Amino acid sequence: MSAETPRPVVAVRMPSAPSSAPADVAPTNPPAVAVSARDVNIFYGAKHAVIDATLDIPARSVTAIIGPSGCGKSTFLRCLNRMHELTPGARMTGSITLDGENLYAPEIDPTVVRRRVGMIFQKSNPFPTLSIGDNVTVGLKLNGIRDRAFLRERMEDALRKAALWDEVKDDLSKPGNSLSGGQQQRLCIARAVAVQPEVLLMDEPTSALDPIATLKVEGLIHDLAKNFTIIIVTHSMQQATRVSDQTAFFYLGRMVEFAPTTELFNNPKQKETEAYISGRFG
Amino acid sequence: MTALVPAAPAFDPRLRVSDGVRRWRNLKSGLVSALCVLGAVVVVTPLALVFGYLVFKGAGSLNWDFFTKTPAPVGETGGGIAHAIGGTFLLIGMASLVGIPVGVLGAIYLTEYARPAFAARVRFAADVLNGVPSIVWGIVAYGIFVLPGGSPLSLGKFSALAGAATLAFIMIPLIVRTAEEVLLLVPNGYREAGLALGIAKWKISLHIVAKTAFRGILTGVLLAVARISGETAPLLFTALGNNDWGRGLGEPIAALPLQIYAYAISPYDDWHRQAWAAALVLLLVVLTMNLSLRFLTRERIVKVARRQLPTDVPPAAPVAQAHAG
Ligand SMILES: Nc1ncnc2c1ncn2[C@@H]1O[C@H](COP(=O)(O)OP(=O)(O)O)[C@@H](O)[C@H]1O
Ligand SMILES: [Mg+2]
């Protein structure tokens, strides 16, 4: 991303590691923390939607956020790329850092944050006026990149990463919304991948898809985690177990438990978590 | 859906209706359908009448001279209305040059940027303006643009500029309202998707939101252009009219509606005939502009999509969904 804001080289934060390691040596032992939320509180007017959420999300892995409807999953997710700022009356306190850099520092432009932290929505939303190919490159084009060979290369790369290339390579000039629902969602993933973000947020990305399309997207998420840090909100616990490395359980606006997925589901520490995963509420 | 078939034995007898009731329902249904058909006919009839009558009265006077010459001296027959056709295009062109961008950008501002309370006030103001009778526009424009010393903007005389400015003012609230309506129909998901890609908001507004609403905006623009093409009263007070080519933007200029008006109230039979022909030309000008713009901007991309349905769609909802956008 030569034409874009250079990313400052910041030592990766490792809260759990002892601080004896020299600061200028890149840490080699994973997991490196990509996104770190500290005491995050989010309000809609008087409504306190997320309460004191503190969470360290490891890089290049899949983190699932589960919890009953209305517990603040989407709200929390949207503050990770400052999308909540679009909601009138929404307000956030606390801090969120990406690779150690404060996303809410006064000099940081939310547009740049969103280039580094992409988002996939529940309802797939390819731009209806653009072709399949243009849908993928629109983020680059509207950020001023003109080089056709480069755009073409990025488009193919993004479509391959979204496991869509073979299905659409002959139809790149057809409209984006001529695809099936599942393909549209993968097109949206390609579109987000094309701007090469570091983090991909997904808010119930498969809830509008049929089971086959869902499985395809889930397989894709697994592959994407090689290159991206993925945070996925899901209402399906099965999905969380299938795709994620670690899971955060939210309940009534609080982050109740955060653990490796197998641990959280097999051996929950909190009784709310236990009640939720055993299906006693939600 | 199968539950609607009454033959099933589980059908609740209390839901059964008598033949009389059923006949009454069919009658009501037929009646409403008939009213709808009648409504459609009533809508189309005036268009056919207007067009047919103008062709009947005016087509006979159309000839090459009519489109290429200026009026013959009083008393002589022949001559044409080339100057009025030119004047109308010039006035519409100048008014559109200002009115379309201001109207469309204003609407984008209202839907994408303005606070809702402010947008509501502007919407109300635009609605009031759209209800202002054209004679009122005319007299106010006369005071502002024509009356010597009437305002700092006054040229002190009738002029093409004054006419175009007035038409632009009539256009702007019309375009603002129709464009605003269609911009509001663009799903928020597209705005969010654009923002989540790190695209600047103004680019999303123009390249994604306005582009998605383009055809609706175009319809509003065409309606506004059609409306000002026929405005007469405001031009009587501003552009005044001219029996020849105007000598500049600061001078009175002819326009088709003005020419129709002048010819129609004249005592000469030949001018009456030319008034009919000029009215037919005005209608054709508006129709041609409308149809050609629609043709030039037709959605090629969607037609391709409708012909080639996706073939690998799983047998769930997606087929319908694929075209919902
Ligand atoms: N725009 C909003 N204005 C006011 N309250 C909201 C808004 N969006 C969400 N909420 C409230 O915040 C809480 C969390 O919502 P959300 O994050 O959407 O939950 P989830 O995604 O877990 O279902 C809910 O109680 C919801 O009613
Ligand atoms: Mg949600």
Side-chain angles (χ1 to χ4, degrees):
Chain A
M1 222 171 270
S2 50
E4 305 205 345
T5 326
R7 283 168 196 159
V9 183
V10 180
V12 179
R13 272 179 57 138
M14 302 230 350
S16 52
S19 55
S20 58
D24 53 343
V25 174
T28 47
N29 48 336
V33 172
V35 179
S36 172
R38 288 279 167 279
D39 304 316
V40 169
N41 285 277
I42 308 169
F43 306 83
Y44 292 108
K47 160 102 196 161
H48 200 165
V50 172
I51 305 162
D52 290 334
T54 292
L55 203 59
D56 281 331
I57 290 165
R60 293 174 208 282
S61 65
V62 182
T63 302
I65 298 179
I66 61 168
S69 193
C71 68
K73 305 182 294 292
S74 299
T75 303
F76 178 74
L77 195 75
R78 288 167 69 88
C79 81
L80 298 181
N81 69 345
R82 298 182 63 168
M83 287 294 280
H84 75 284
E85 291 174 3
L86 307 175
T87 310
R91 195 158 56 78
M92 179 220 145
T93 64
S95 87
I96 291 170
T97 58
L98 171 59
D99 297 340
E101 224 187 316
N102 183 4
L103 295 184
Y104 284 82
E107 72 277 9
I108 298 279
D109 177 358
T111 310
V112 176
V113 171
R114 293 178 197 137
R115 237 171 274 168
R116 296 177 60 186
V117 186
M119 190 160 205
I120 313 294
F121 299 85
Q122 181 169 356
K123 191 171 177 300
S124 66
N125 48 14
F127 300 125
T129 54
L130 298 182
S131 68
I132 292 171
D134 288 343
N135 256 290
V136 179
T137 52
V138 65
L140 297 168
K141 280 189 183 160
L142 290 187
N143 277 318
I145 294 174
R146 292 270 177 301
D147 182 343
R148 286 183 154 219
F150 177 77
L151 287 171
R152 167 85 206 182
E153 192 182 301
R154 272 291 181 82
M155 175 178 71
E156 180 170 342
D157 176 63
L159 283 170
R160 282 189 192 282
K161 287 205 172 97
L164 194 58
W165 174 252
D166 291 329
E167 289 161 61
V168 302
K169 63 174 184 284
D170 300 322
D171 300 328
L172 292 173
S173 55
K174 283 192 194 168
N177 54 4
S178 65
L179 298 171
S180 73
Q183 289 174 320
Q184 288 193 27
Q185 191 62 299
R186 279 179 284 146
L187 179 61
C188 293
I189 292 173
R191 181 175 66 184
V193 163
V195 298
Q196 294 192 336
E198 292 152 74
V199 182
L200 276 178
L201 310 176
M202 303 187 174
D203 194 349
E204 306 197 11
T206 62
S207 61
L209 303 182
D210 61 78
I212 295 166
T214 297
L215 284 181
K216 268 195 190 157
V217 171
E218 285 180 1
L220 173 60
I221 289 171
H222 188 261
D223 292 339
L224 285 170
K226 291 186 200 112
N227 298 298
F228 303 95
T229 303
I230 292 177
I231 307 171
I232 176 172
V233 165
T234 174
H235 62 254
S236 153
M237 285 183 270
Q238 289 75 17
Q239 183 165 69
T241 57
R242 283 192 300 260
V243 302
S244 71
D245 301 301
Q246 52 276 320
T247 299
F249 171 61
F250 274 63
Y251 183 56
L252 297 179
R254 286 179 200 278
M255 206 282 290
V256 173
E257 187 163 354
F258 183 42
T261 300
T262 41
E263 205 175 305
L264 187 119
F265 281 99
N266 294 329
N267 191 10
K269 300 270 183 303
Q270 305 293 328
K271 62 180 189 307
E272 289 103 328
T273 316
E274 207 268 315
Y276 181 68
I277 62 178
S278 59
R280 262 178 272 151
F281 60 79
Chain B
M1 288 300 139
T2 50
L4 292 179
V5 180
F11 191 78
D12 186 335
R14 283 168 299 175
L15 295 179
R16 200 163 283 147
V17 291
S18 70
D19 283 355
V21 169
R22 189 167 295 134
R23 267 198 299 277
W24 172 230
R25 286 179 182 174
N26 285 340
L27 187 72
K28 280 191 290 187
S29 166
L31 211 68
V32 172
S33 303
L35 280 175
C36 293
V37 171
L38 188 72
V41 169
V42 169
V43 167
V44 177
T45 310
L47 177 66
L49 275 182
V50 166
F51 200 70
Y53 197 66
L54 284 179
V55 169
F56 169 66
K57 294 287 255 183
S61 313
L62 291 184
N63 52 41
W64 186 244
D65 280 359
F66 192 72
F67 292 100
T68 55
K69 295 226 163 103
T70 51
V74 179
E76 291 178 30
T77 55
I81 55 160
H83 66 307
I85 297 174
T88 280
F89 275 113
L90 185 71
L91 287 171
I92 294 176
M94 287 198 294
S96 301
L97 216 58
V98 178
I100 295 173
V102 171
V104 173
L105 291 175
I108 291 175
Y109 174 75
L110 289 182
T111 60
E112 309 300 310
Y113 295 92
R115 288 148 164 258
F118 178 71
R121 266 174 238 171
V122 176
R123 191 175 304 133
F124 177 72
D127 282 338
V128 172
L129 283 178
N130 286 334
V132 170
S134 58
I135 190 82
V136 176
W137 279 109
I139 196 116
V140 171
Y142 175 78
I144 294 174
F145 298 125
V146 178
L147 193 67
S151 83
L153 294 174
S154 172
L155 290 178
K157 57 185 176 181
F158 294 104
S159 68
L161 280 177
T166 312
L167 295 183
F169 277 110
I170 297 176
M171 267 182 120
I172 289 168
L174 282 168
I175 295 178
V176 164
R177 287 297 280 128
T178 48
E180 193 198 7
E181 297 288 346
V182 291
L183 287 168
L184 286 174
L185 290 178
V186 176
N188 244 335
Y190 298 143
R191 297 180 176 89
E192 291 206 325
L195 288 169
L197 289 169
I199 301 171
K201 180 160 179 185
W202 70 270
K203 288 186 188 169
I204 295 168
S205 303
L206 290 183
H207 293 279
I208 291 170
V209 179
K211 205 169 155 191
T212 306
F214 176 77
R215 298 192 60 76
I217 295 175
L218 181 73
T219 301
V221 165
L222 287 173
L223 279 174
V225 169
R227 157 91 191 267
I228 63 159
S229 308
E231 282 298 348
T232 317
L235 292 182
L236 278 175
F237 285 97
T238 51
L240 187 65
N242 196 324
N243 242 352
D244 210 326
W245 296 98
R247 270 163 309 163
L249 297 182
E251 299 295 325
I253 192 173
L256 279 169
L258 292 173
Q259 205 70 27
I260 295 167
Y261 176 70
Y263 280 178
I265 61 170
S266 78
Y268 310 112
D269 278 347
D270 189 47
W271 282 14
H272 290 171
R273 277 193 294 279
Q274 296 211 11
W276 287 112
L280 179 59
V281 170
L282 179 55
L283 189 67
L284 289 175
V285 164
V286 173
L287 272 179
T288 315
M289 271 194 301
N290 206 316
L291 292 178
S292 52
L293 266 179
R294 279 185 193 282
F295 179 73
L296 288 175
T297 60
R298 71 196 181 284
E299 263 172 280
R300 302 171 184 93
I301 197 167
V302 166
K303 283 189 190 124
V304 177
R306 296 233 162 95
R307 264 204 309 277
Q308 303 172 345
L309 286 170
T311 47
D312 58 336
V313 177
V319 177
Q321 206 183 339
H323 297 282

